[in-house]
Each structure stands twice: as structure tokens, then as C-alpha cells.
Amino acid sequence: MAKGKAKQTSSKSHRVKTSGDIEVSTYLEIAKELGGEQPAAVEEAKPKLEREAIIVIDFGSQYSMLIARRVRECKVYCELLPPDTPWEKIAPLKPKGFILSGGPASVYEPGAPLAPSYIYESHLPVLGICYGMQVLAHQLGGQVTPGAKHEYGHAILHLSQVDSPLFTDLPPSSPVWMSHGDKVEKLPPDFTALAYTENSPFAVMSKDGKVFGLQFHPEVVHTPEGKTILKNFVYGVCGCKGNWTMSNFINDSMAKIRQQVGRGKVISALSGGVDSSVVATIIHRAIGDQLTCIFVNHGLLRREEVERTFNVFKLNMGMNIIYVDASQRFLKRLKGVTDPEVKRKVIGEEFIRVFEEEAKKIGKVDFLAQGTLYPDVIESALTTSAAAKIKTHHNVGGLPAKMTLKLLEPLRDLFKDEVRQVGLALGLPEEMVWRQPFPGPGLAIRIIGEVTEEKLEILRGADFIVMNEIKKAQLYRQLWQSFAILTDVKSVGVMGDYRTYGYLVAVRAVTSDDAMTADWSRLPYEVLARISSRIVNEVPGVNRVVYDITSKPPSTIEWE
Ligand code: XMP
């Protein structure tokens, strides 16, 4: 087993060796060889801005996270918290107002979640949406009719009191999106109706211009004026100033990292993906060489991926990176493995093993940095019933169970689009910041059946062409993912005068907002034609290309 500081590159080609057992070299050596720049000076963090936040009490609506995103789009920090959150946890966030989300319950059901008492006792502004409005009506002495006719879809909202601060810049009538069964039948004392629809006389209710209830959903795109309504609530009613910007986030976050880490040492797994790159960059800016990144090449990466990642970090920073080429080790472990879940398990376990081995060599380490994002935080905090898992999406690069390290998660307050903005603000190149998601187990779950070196090379070739043609057609960013799959099917073809018997490659391109659902992209025929002809002409061993025209559900995005 070759260890130590073996050189991984040739200065001409910038190629990093991808075979052999574990070989380690520090990034700095490679950077020097490639003529990389010196580490950027660590910026001084500016003083913290006055905190302000809007708290969404989440009653379980499928749109709850969308409310938080909309509020953040107004540059106001917003958190989603369950109804049993104690005031002590909320007070430090300096809330300026509350939003009560929609939800599937009925206020009269035994055990239905209601608003905690501080919602009313704090005298802060409140906006109840759908079920949230019914909660307000129920708790404040109004009447909600259970099981009324379900109203679902478009309705026209007519304003009856146009001078409400909630309605600034709103036309007298506009479309809104309804989705409710129960309905407020009698307003609570001191409330007035501000707007109506054909089926809802109390489509908007209010008390003192401070507590509001909306029967419809302002957070969804089907309510075109919804953003204005939320903006009016956040600014006009709650008096927020809107200081949640990414550059403020960066300064704030760097100060927090320094405070948390002190003189400690941090390690982080670097994969070249958006999240791990932004995590590493922001931590490096804050604490410089106290951070060491470990880049495990499991040999299941795409063509030029290792080099691309190295180039980015070479050009942008002088980060301490330990590069580990463990491709042969992973291939050995994957020999004979065909079951997709077993592949994931094997790769996940091996990754942790390699990572731990490398981490041990660094000496005493105090923190493990992770690219946990806000949706992960919400999911683990709010999910009460464990939904059936279709695939185990354990993040390769996740926390090694045995490591007793403290976690450093600088992105845990951010949505994915905010992470991208932070990445751009930190100077990461667009190509990296807008990279499509790539699964932790890499190409292994895009090769149907056993993973071999030969199949990996074929898939890399096909995948490179898909990416290249999609980028050339300027479609890359609008697609959630676009890639090739090497199927286990061989078919007969003819090339020149010869009969061929080669692999079938499938091409997948999908649009999606969050990967929960996805639609196959209607790629132009010319793009598909170029992809197909290039793959059969340029990738040896492939003689047929098909395009996957199934959506998720019933299919999934990846084939395994
Ligand atoms: P599916 O195939 O379930 O994928 O529709 C949804 C999203 O998750 C990604 N994916 C994974 N990511 N480890 C990962 O880190 C995995 O094992 C894994 N499986 C799927 C997939 O690329 C898509 O974005």
C-alpha cells in the first residue's frame, strides 16, 4: 500500500492519478506544482447586525417550507418551528412576528395542534394561513365549521378594506389559491373581514391591523400577489428592516465559526459539490489553516471531476487538502455487488473507513464540518412519522458514527439557493456553484449491475458527452439533473460492414424543484440527436442510445 506524499499530478496535463491503493498527497503540494496562488488573507468579520426574524409555526402543511423561503426572499430571516417549541428557544431569535402555517388537522379533532400561548401573549403581529387562520379563529372565540365542502383551486379575492397595511400595492381583485376543508364560519370578537371570495365571506380577517388570517395560500405561485401580501406583513405590519443578505450572513457566520472553534482543528470532506465547497470555503476564510479538507476519490467520479475541483481550490485558495485516491479499494469492495442498496452501503462504509484513517493521521481534531442545510434540519426536527424510504440517501461523507467530534454546520440555516448565493459571494466559480446534484455513491448507481473499471470508463465517456451537449445547448442550469446511465443490456448493431454487439446507454434529463418529484425534460430533438450520435461514435462499446421519458413518480431520478 503506497502511502506518504506521492505526487498525484503531472504539471502538463494536471491529471490526478486514479489508480493504485490509497495514496495521499497534500493539496498544497499539488497547488504549488500547478502554480497555484497563496492563501487569501482571512477577512475580518464585521460587527453583527441587529437581529430580526419571523417565526413560522409549522402545523404540517406541504407548503410550510415555502413560507419560510418567501419570507427570506424579502431578506428577512425566517425559521420554521413546531407548535410545541418553548418561548425560551424563540426569544433569542428576536422575533418580529409569527406566521401560523396551514396543516392537515381540524381544530376540533382531539389532539389537533394549536398555537402556543406566547403567540397571543407576546403581542407580536400574527398571520394565520389556512389552518393557521382556523387556529386563530378557534382559540380567540370564533367558530370553525368542520368538514365543510372542500375548496381546492383558484378563487378570486375581492378586497373590501383596501387601506389595510396587508394590502399595500394590491389590486382590488386578484387570483388566489385555496386548499381547505374546514372554514371560519363566525369571526372571533373584534375581528373584521377585509376580503372575500365567492365561497368564503371571510377570506381575510384581521384584528387591530396586527393579527391576520388568510383562508388562501399566499406562499404558492398560484397566488400571484402572495409575495406582495407576505412582504406587506413582514415590512408593513411587523416592521422588519430586511437585513438578511448573503454578505451579512457570511460575516455573521465567520464570526460564529471563530467563536465556536477558537484555536481548535477542523476537518471536512470535500467532494467538489456545492455544499461541501461552500462549507470549506467559508470555514477557511474564517480560520485559515486550522481547517484540513479530506478529498476521498472513490473512483466513481465523472471525467475530470477531480481535476476540476482541484483547479477551483488551487485558483481560489491555498487550502490544506489531503487527497486520497482510494479508487482501487472501492472497486475491490464493489466486486460482484449488483444490488443498489448494497452498493450504497458498501460505498458509505468504505468512505467512512478511508476518511477515519486519514483523519487519524492529522492528529488531534476537534470539529467535523458538514454541509447540513436547512431542509435537512427541518426534516429531522419535524418528521414525526418515518416515511417509507425508497432509497437510503445517506450522504456519503456523512458523520462517521464512531468519531467523537463536535459538529460544525455553518450552512444549517440556509436553503440550497441561498447556499449558491453564498458560494458566489465567496468568489467560487459559477460552474461549481451551479453544479447539478451528483449522488454520493457516484457512477456506481448509474451502472446497472456490477461496477467494473471498464464500465466506469464507458459511462464516463457517455456522461461527458451528455454534459457537454447540454451545456452547449445552454440547458444545463434549467435542468435539475442530466446524465447517462450504463444499462446491463447489450444489443445488436451495425457499424460500417460489421455487426456489433454493444452496450445500451440511457440518457436522463429531468426538471425538478426539490427532487421529490421530477418531470422528464422535453429536450430538443437536435440535442438528443447530437448526444446519441456522439455517444455511439465516440464511446467504444456502445451501439445504442435511448432517452428516458418517465417522470418521478412513478420512476425515480437515478436508475438505482
Ligand atoms: P431519486 O433517484 O431517489 O433521487 O429520485 C433523488 C435525488 O437524490 C439523489 N440521490 C442520492 N444522493 N446519495 C446521494 O447523496 C444517494 O445514494 C442518492 N440516491 C439518489 C439523486 O441524484 C437525486 O438528485
Side-chain angles (χ1 to χ4, degrees):
M1 188 185 291
K3 287 205 176 117
K5 307 210 163 160
K7 268 189 195 159
Q8 303 289 313
T9 66
S10 106
S11 55
K12 290 248 164 51
S13 66
H14 293 193
R15 282 198 73 79
V16 175
K17 250 190 358 195
T18 51
S19 60
D21 222 323
I22 289 190
E23 294 185 42
V24 184
S25 87
T26 66
Y27 164 75
L28 278 178
E29 267 180 59
I30 295 162
K32 224 187 287 163
E33 189 190 337
L34 297 171
E37 288 172 3
Q38 291 308 303
V42 173
E43 267 178 26
E44 267 318 303
K46 291 180 190 134
K48 276 167 85 172
L49 279 143
E50 193 201 328
R51 246 201 132 127
E52 57 176 30
I54 297 290
I55 304 301
V56 177
I57 300 294
D58 182 34
F59 290 120
S61 155
Q62 54 175 325
Y63 304 130
S64 297
M65 211 186 296
L66 211 49
I67 304 174
R69 290 186 61 159
R70 295 280 172 265
V71 173
R72 295 226 192 145
E73 279 165 18
C74 299
K75 297 190 170 32
V76 173
Y77 183 67
C78 183
E79 272 201 28
L80 210 62
L81 292 167
D84 58 358
T85 309
W87 173 248
E88 292 69 43
K89 194 171 167 200
I90 289 185
L93 298 170
K94 304 264 165 65
K96 291 268 192 181
F98 291 101
I99 297 180
L100 310 182
S101 85
S106 177
V107 286
Y108 291 110
E109 269 170 23
L114 296 175
S117 56
Y118 54 75
I119 296 287
Y120 305 108
E121 288 159 7
S122 65
H123 299 293
L124 288 166
V126 184
L127 177 70
I129 295 173
C130 200
Y131 178 77
M133 174 193 199
Q134 292 151 20
V135 166
L136 286 175
H138 177 65
Q139 289 186 294
L140 296 175
Q143 201 184 328
V144 177
T145 327
K149 208 175 78 191
H150 194 92
E151 192 183 6
Y152 183 81
H154 286 290
I156 299 294
L157 182 78
H158 303 283
L159 310 187
S160 37
Q161 292 202 14
V162 285
D163 56 349
S164 164
L166 203 65
F167 296 157
T168 307
D169 296 333
L170 238 62
S173 302
S174 58
V176 291
W177 184 257
M178 293 284 189
S179 175
H180 62 101
D182 294 3
K183 189 166 149 184
V184 175
E185 203 61 48
K186 189 170 143 254
L187 294 180
D190 305 324
F191 273 77
T192 48
L194 301 185
Y196 61 93
T197 66
E198 197 183 327
N199 290 323
S200 297
F202 309 135
V204 180
M205 66 174 197
S206 166
K207 183 185 162 193
D208 303 334
K210 243 182 144 178
V211 181
F212 295 88
L214 308 179
Q215 186 62 83
F216 57 90
H217 288 272
E219 67 277 24
V220 301
V221 284
H222 310 299
T223 303
E225 297 296 338
K227 279 185 190 177
T228 312
I229 294 173
L230 288 171
K231 191 167 152 213
N232 288 337
F233 177 70
V234 164
Y235 285 100
V237 179
C238 299
C240 289
K241 297 198 176 63
N243 57 21
W244 171 252
T245 63
M246 288 309 112
S247 67
N248 286 337
F249 169 83
I250 291 170
N251 286 320
D252 218 36
S253 171
M254 281 167 53
K256 263 196 227 154
I257 292 167
R258 283 183 196 138
Q259 194 186 28
Q260 202 182 340
V261 173
R263 303 224 53 79
K265 267 192 177 178
V266 182
I267 49 166
S268 182
L270 192 65
S271 70
V274 188
D275 305 342
S276 76
S277 300
V278 174
V279 164
T281 312
I282 198 163
I283 297 177
H284 182 251
R285 282 269 189 102
I287 57 166
D289 278 350
Q290 284 166 263
L291 168 73
T292 303
C293 291
I294 300 176
F295 184 173
V296 177
N297 178 3
H298 53 21
L300 308 164
L301 298 171
R302 290 166 295 186
R303 189 184 281 176
E304 292 178 8
E305 194 144 25
V306 174
E307 295 88 331
R308 270 203 304 268
T309 308
F310 267 64
N311 279 343
V312 165
F313 289 101
K314 168 181 81 85
L315 292 175
N316 285 279
M317 10 181 145
M319 212 185 268
N320 273 330
I321 299 186
I322 296 175
Y323 171 71
V324 190
D325 182 349
S327 38
Q328 289 306 315
R329 204 171 140 162
F330 277 84
L331 263 183
K332 259 187 231 153
R333 289 281 323 268
L334 284 167
K335 203 165 173 7
V337 178
T338 53
D339 181 278
E341 284 304 283
V342 179
K343 281 183 187 174
R344 283 188 171 84
K345 195 162 168 277
V346 164
I347 297 166
E349 281 172 6
E350 197 62 16
F351 186 95
I352 289 172
R353 209 164 288 153
V354 176
F355 189 83
E356 279 181 332
E357 282 171 19
E358 293 311 316
K360 260 190 218 141
K361 295 179 196 160
I362 303 172
K364 187 181 175 307
V365 175
D366 310 276
F367 292 88
L368 175 74
Q370 275 199 322
T372 314
L373 303 193
Y374 194 49
D376 311 325
V377 175
I378 295 174
E379 206 174 293
S380 49
L382 298 179
T383 311
T384 44
S385 63
K389 281 235 155 47
I390 311 291
K391 297 175 187 176
T392 52
H393 288 191
H394 56 209
N395 247 335
V396 170
L399 172 68
K402 287 182 292 185
M403 279 184 147
T404 49
L405 294 174
K406 284 172 263 179
L407 278 186
L408 189 61
E409 300 174 307
L411 309 183
R412 60 179 285 126
D413 288 339
L414 301 186
F415 288 111
K416 187 85 177 184
D417 47 339
E418 293 172 326
V419 174
R420 291 208 162 98
Q421 288 172 44
V422 169
L424 289 173
L426 286 168
L428 287 175
E430 295 217 353
E431 196 206 43
M432 177 167 269
V433 167
W434 288 102
R435 203 182 84 142
Q436 291 175 355
F438 184 66
L443 300 181
I445 56 164
R446 294 181 182 170
I447 290 174
I448 312 305
E450 190 185 6
V451 180
T452 64
E453 204 145 19
E454 182 220 358
K455 285 186 187 171
L456 278 166
E457 250 338 275
I458 294 177
L459 182 56
R460 278 195 192 102
D463 187 77
F464 192 77
I465 291 168
V466 174
M467 171 126 72
N468 188 251
E469 288 298 332
I470 292 287
K471 281 190 173 168
K472 268 202 318 211
Q474 309 211 310
L475 294 167
Y476 185 79
R477 267 202 212 176
Q478 64 199 63
L479 294 172
W480 174 266
Q481 274 169 303
S482 45
F483 55 90
I485 300 107
L486 183 60
T487 73
D488 216 11
V489 172
K490 281 191 160 185
S491 72
V492 174
V494 55
M495 270 189 196
D497 294 331
Y498 294 97
R499 176 188 182 276
T500 58
Y501 189 57
Y503 277 111
L504 170 70
V505 160
V507 175
R508 183 98 166 117
V510 295
T511 50
S512 173
D513 285 331
D514 50 14
M516 301 292 285
T517 61
D519 196 10
W520 62 277
S521 167
R522 273 57 169 174
L523 289 183
Y525 280 169
E526 312 79 70
V527 176
L528 286 170
R530 271 197 302 277
I531 289 174
S532 162
S533 112
R534 280 193 62 194
I535 290 177
V536 289
N537 281 304
E538 295 174 32
V539 185
V542 180
N543 66 355
R544 197 179 290 271
V545 176
V546 293
Y547 186 48
D548 182 347
I549 51 165
T550 27
S551 299
K552 174 183 178 177
S555 288
T556 51
I557 297 176
E558 304 290 347
W559 275 35
E560 284 202 335

